[in-house]
Amino acid sequence: MGICTAVGLAIAAAGTLAMAPASAAVTPGTATLAFDCGSYGSGTATLTATQDGTAATISVSTSAISSPINIGANSVRSTLTLTKNGSGTTAFTGNANPAIPAGGPVSTGPLKGTVASGDSLEAASLKVVVLGITATCKATSPQSPGPFVF
């Protein structure tokens, strides 16, 4: 299995898991960006954010990469690093995923983190570990329509 394929699968699956309605408004609720995973591939991703008080989740989905083999449930670990308020960083992490069939997009998430009222977060990188293989994807475009504001 190529790491590019594993990374794409992990990213794609993330978007399907965080569907619960948020009790606080995140603006925008969904954003897109481009990422580059080096020799593992590149493509676009959709990020969806939800919030419940200071707890927040961000799911990441993409169809850029699919799994060449079956991947068991809860076997994908991801860390999404975001620029916080234009200078610092914060991380959202998760290791939940459904079973992923060979040829299917990888799902991971929801990725969980903590926010404060007014925090502005924009994705900077995504680290995905699948079957012991680690790939780091770096954002190559700003989020559109803009950073998440909690």
Side-chain angles (χ1 to χ4, degrees):
M1 174 179 91
I3 189 76
C4 185
T5 300
V7 170
L9 290 176
I11 295 170
T16 62
L17 298 175
M19 300 298 182
S23 62
V26 178
T27 309
T30 302
T32 60
L33 74 148
F35 63 88
D36 182 359
C37 304
S39 61
Y40 303 114
S42 62
T44 59
T46 299
L47 285 69
T48 304
T50 62
Q51 178 183 5
D52 186 4
T54 60
T57 62
I58 298 177
S59 30
V60 183
S61 65
T62 184
S63 59
I65 306 169
S66 59
S67 177
I69 63 170
N70 293 334
I71 296 178
N74 303 318
S75 60
V76 177
R77 291 181 298 145
S78 299
T79 301
L80 178 65
T81 301
L82 303 106
T83 301
K84 182 177 181 178
N85 301 323
S87 59
T89 62
T90 190
F92 279 59
T93 60
N95 65 344
N97 67 277
I100 302 165
V106 171
S107 294
T108 187
L111 306 179
K112 298 177 182 183
T114 303
V115 296
S117 180
D119 276 352
S120 176
L121 305 180
E122 185 162 6
S125 66
L126 176 67
K127 178 177 139 182
V128 179
V129 180
V130 179
L131 302 173
I133 300 169
T134 301
T136 300
C137 304
K138 298 195 183 290
T140 58
S141 72
Q143 284 180 203
S144 177
F148 295 118
V149 178
F150 293 86

